[in-house]
Amino acid sequence: MTPRIRYMLAAPLLAAPIIALLMPGIYNRTEPTLAGFPFFYWYQLLWVALTMCTMSGAYFLVVPAQKTRGKK
Amino acid sequence: MSAHQTGMQFDGVALAVFTVLFLLVAVMGFLASRWRRPADIMHLDEWGLGGRSFGTFIAWFLLGGDVFTAYTCIAVPALVFGVGALGFFAVPYAIVVWPIIFLFLPRLWSVSHRHGYVTTADFVEGRHGSRALTLAVALTGILATMPYIALQLVGIQVCLDAMGVGGGPDTPWIVREMPLFVAFALLAAYTYSAGLRAPAMIAFVKDSLIYLVVGVSIIYLPAKLGGWEHIFSAAGQKLAKTNPTTGKPFGGLLLSEKQLWPYCTLGFGSALALFIYPHSVTAVLSTKNRNVIRRNTALLPMYTILLGMIALLGLMALSSGITTGGNNSLSVPLLFKQNFPSWFTGVAFAAIGIGALVPAAIMSIAAANLFTRNVYRAFISPNATPAAETQVSKVASLLLKFGALVFVLALDKSFAIQFQLLGGIWIMQTFPALVFGLYTRWFHRRALFVGWLVGMVYGTATSYFVPAPGKPGTHFGGQIAEIPMLGHAGYIALTAFVLNVIVAVVLTLLFRSFKMEEGVDETSPSDYEADAGDPGVAQDLPTH
């Protein structure tokens, strides 16, 4: 993969948590509940775990891209 | 309301456990000055940046310490306790912050290591070549840090309060404020002696204690309080009641229509602000190579989970019928005190107290570095020796804490989160000069300065005229105000920031057309990609 493609793949991974959380209108509701938690609460907590995944993905995409760029 | 009604009886066992743990940490702090001992401790890179040698593991604790403070343990659950769902904005904030730092902090790391920058203002000076802008960034950093340190003092204070140190409302003022002065003295003595190494080392103890306490709370408390379903429904009922001071419901388990914009802007604004605070930058620059920060952004959300759990403690306090006598910051300490045996209450309070002490130390060190390098050395004594600089930093870190003390005494403590949000308004105004500066030099230095000035004046004035809820005529009572032309309420920091950027863009175009002098940029494009081991990036920095 060229560095350019790697950066383009990393961008949506970085943007995903921002979009998912900065529009509270989409998750500001009670149903469906999970283990007693209203949706509002478990949706946001779930995104913490998802963010760890997307950030790891972005890290492994971007770091090799930088190494190639440094050698140029 | 007497001390007994609010559950603030003196608790000797808790206080004893608290004191022992605190002393233990203090001893560690003094020993820390020998850890990774450098040749010359009286050097700002050493006292102030721990020798810039921290790897992924230590950096995780140190960076985590920036997020995980009394803000998390006391202020966020207090807001949830007071208003419900709106207080949960801290979770999106502590998520959105990671992609943002993934993008810009590695660039700051690289350019700082190539040029030996210790502070954000160092970078701004090197990049924009403007002394006025540099001074603006330095003073803003110092100012914005003070209420954030004040918040940490409030955190230690409420723990001491909840253990009954300080007595009831009948005791004289000086005795009631005693916990605050004790907290202040602890912090001051401790930072002065050890520098950044101490908080880095104690961060291990702090986090272990906090993970223990939160783990126990999240398993033990729901079982004791009747399960999550009950906690949410009981908390929901309490929040739906009418607040006698405002005549409206306290809040709700979900956001009201009017709270959607504040929720979003508080989360986003706080996230943009967090990693331009001097103390966050200090933690970032103390790492040993470029990728330590990025690797950490995938690991640091662990702290966000903790933050979310602690925010839920606010709902638990509601459902278990805690009354705080008007000071919501007491909700979590009183929840612990009501439900844990005395000895574990002591452990929990020590966790919160040490959890406030560590970041407060890092914050005052960072702001002191700013003062020394960008005010003292730049304007007062350009030829100061490294030892003299370090001495000035130590004294400045003391004075800063007095500034913080003023904020504690002057502002309304019932919603301590306002302290941090007020700091956010100020620090956000340095964002264009700093973060835009990492990517482009399109902005004219004078345009950036005027933008900063407009943002500061607008932000401070707007915040000044916001009264505390139900207390007309008071000032700095909240950091949410109507966004002009939009008709929605939002976090003032973000509105002021947008204004700042608009001014900077318009004036840049204007100044360009007049061909005003641009200033010298001492950095080059490759500086922003440099990593440890590259030419010009020494593992040990050159002496200044």
Side-chain angles (χ1 to χ4, degrees):
Chain A
M1 274 191 280
T2 64
R4 199 185 159 75
I5 292 177
R6 284 173 172 274
Y7 281 110
M8 279 166 65
L9 288 174
L13 287 177
L14 293 174
I18 302 181
I19 294 165
L21 287 155
L22 289 186
M23 296 195 291
I26 58 172
Y27 55 82
N28 188 32
R29 49 202 169 91
T30 312
E31 299 295 330
T33 57
L34 181 75
F37 279 64
F39 184 74
F40 178 79
Y41 296 89
W42 70 257
Y43 171 87
Q44 295 186 67
L45 292 173
L46 178 69
W47 261 104
V48 183
L50 292 177
T51 304
M52 293 178 86
C53 301
T54 62
M55 296 304 298
S56 309
Y59 174 77
F60 287 113
L61 280 167
V62 162
V63 168
Q66 275 181 343
K67 281 187 184 137
T68 25
R69 207 151 54 147
K71 275 175 198 150
K72 253 191 257 172
Chain B
M1 223 163 299
S2 83
H4 290 278
Q5 266 175 353
T6 55
M8 277 149 53
Q9 300 92 337
F10 182 72
D11 187 337
V13 178
L15 187 61
V17 174
F18 178 88
T19 312
V20 166
L21 282 171
F22 238 95
L23 286 178
L24 213 67
V25 161
V27 172
M28 274 187 75
F30 289 115
L31 291 178
S33 51
R34 297 162 190 260
W35 177 43
R36 293 164 171 249
R37 194 175 178 78
D40 181 13
I41 186 81
M42 284 306 272
H43 193 291
L44 214 49
D45 266 352
E46 291 300 336
W47 185 80
L49 283 185
R52 299 197 189 222
S53 59
F54 296 141
T56 306
F57 187 67
I58 301 172
W60 187 73
F61 282 103
L62 209 55
L63 286 166
D66 294 335
V67 186
F68 212 73
T69 68
Y71 172 82
T72 320
C73 294
I74 297 291
V76 169
L79 188 61
V80 173
F81 179 85
V83 302
L86 182 64
F88 223 65
F89 86 84
V91 173
Y93 150 47
I95 291 175
V96 168
V97 71
W98 307 123
I100 292 174
I101 73 169
F102 185 95
L103 288 175
F104 81 82
L105 280 180
R107 290 178 76 84
L108 182 65
W109 186 96
S110 293
V111 72
S112 298
H113 277 67
R114 196 157 261 181
H115 292 274
Y117 302 145
V118 176
T119 66
T120 46
D122 284 350
F123 164 70
V124 168
E125 177 158 37
R127 177 63 150 171
H128 299 288
S130 161
R131 275 163 67 90
L133 191 59
T134 307
L135 188 65
V137 168
L139 293 178
T140 310
I142 294 167
L143 178 69
T145 305
M146 283 191 219
Y148 213 161
I149 298 174
L151 173 60
Q152 313 307 320
L153 285 172
V154 171
I156 306 176
Q157 185 191 14
V158 290
C159 288
L160 291 167
D161 257 349
M163 286 186 291
V165 182
D170 308 327
T171 42
W173 173 82
I174 191 82
V175 180
R176 262 186 295 132
E177 295 290 350
M178 200 46 120
L180 178 61
F181 298 129
V182 173
F184 175 81
L186 276 171
L187 176 63
Y190 161 87
T191 326
Y192 186 86
S193 62
L196 193 66
R197 279 186 168 73
M201 185 168 224
I202 289 164
F204 295 109
V205 182
K206 169 208 151 201
D207 283 6
S208 315
L209 276 175
I210 288 181
Y211 275 98
L212 173 77
V213 170
V214 174
V216 169
S217 320
I218 238 54
I219 295 162
Y220 173 76
L221 289 178
K224 193 168 182 223
L225 298 175
W228 284 109
E229 206 151 339
H230 174 75
I231 291 171
F232 278 107
S233 73
Q237 281 167 15
K238 287 262 163 62
L239 287 167
K241 284 188 183 156
T242 308
N243 182 345
T245 51
T246 60
K248 290 179 201 149
F250 284 99
L253 281 183
L254 292 181
L255 300 168
S256 69
E257 198 62 32
K258 273 188 182 160
Q259 287 174 329
L260 291 173
W261 271 82
Y263 192 84
C264 165
T265 51
L266 281 171
F268 191 52
S270 302
L272 288 179
L274 178 64
F275 271 86
I276 51 176
Y277 271 106
H279 64 279
S280 312
V281 172
T282 299
V284 168
L285 296 186
S286 67
T287 57
K288 69 180 173 200
N289 69 50
R290 193 170 200 265
N291 284 325
V292 169
I293 310 151
R294 284 206 163 135
R295 206 171 302 136
N296 259 299
T297 58
L299 300 171
L300 283 163
M302 286 284 287
Y303 284 98
T304 312
I305 295 180
L306 224 56
L307 182 146
M309 295 290 144
I310 294 174
L312 293 173
L313 293 179
L315 294 180
M316 288 189 205
L318 273 174
S319 77
S320 68
I322 299 279
T323 49
T324 56
N327 184 359
N328 289 317
S329 301
L330 279 165
S331 54
V332 164
L334 292 180
L335 174 74
F336 286 166
K337 196 179 177 189
Q338 190 189 68
N339 291 292
F340 287 143
S342 274
W343 69 271
F344 196 73
T345 305
V347 174
F349 287 2
I352 300 175
I354 298 166
L357 196 66
V358 171
I362 305 178
M363 286 168 195
S364 54
I365 290 167
N369 284 349
L370 263 181
F371 176 80
T372 307
R373 290 185 62 100
N374 308 107
V375 182
Y376 176 76
R377 205 182 66 172
F379 291 93
I380 302 168
S381 172
N383 299 318
T385 62
E389 274 187 22
T390 309
Q391 195 54 42
V392 169
S393 256
K394 285 179 156 192
V395 174
S397 83
L398 275 183
L399 293 178
L400 264 159
K401 285 188 238 10
F402 278 105
L405 204 57
V406 171
F407 276 95
V408 183
L409 294 172
L411 295 185
D412 183 0
K413 275 179 280 190
S414 58
F415 282 113
I417 202 155
Q418 305 302 350
F419 288 50
Q420 192 262 2
L421 291 175
L422 177 62
I425 293 178
W426 290 327
I427 201 72
M428 269 292 272
Q429 308 319 319
T430 65
F431 195 95
L434 176 63
V435 180
F436 294 171
L438 287 170
Y439 291 89
T440 173
R441 213 167 170 282
W442 180 81
F443 289 94
H444 194 281
R445 56 186 179 151
R446 296 219 165 87
L448 285 170
F449 181 82
V450 179
W452 166 84
L453 192 65
V454 169
M456 288 295 280
V457 170
Y458 172 83
T460 312
T462 312
S463 170
Y464 180 81
F465 289 113
V466 178
K471 295 176 193 163
T474 56
H475 301 293
F476 294 114
Q479 315 307 336
I480 291 174
E482 192 178 300
I483 308 166
M485 293 188 288
L486 219 59
H488 294 285
Y491 183 21
I492 295 167
L494 215 53
T495 318
F497 168 69
V498 172
L499 200 62
N500 179 340
V501 175
I502 294 171
V503 169
V505 168
V506 171
L507 289 184
T508 296
L509 293 169
L510 198 67
F511 293 166
R512 279 278 154 71
S513 62
F514 287 139
K515 302 234 178 323
M516 252 163 105
E517 206 195 328
E518 300 255 2
V520 181
D521 178 7
E522 67 175 33
T523 68
S524 66
S526 71
D527 290 349
Y528 296 87
E529 310 274 334
D531 199 354
D534 287 1
V537 185
Q539 289 290 356
D540 297 310
L541 287 164
T543 44
H544 303 287

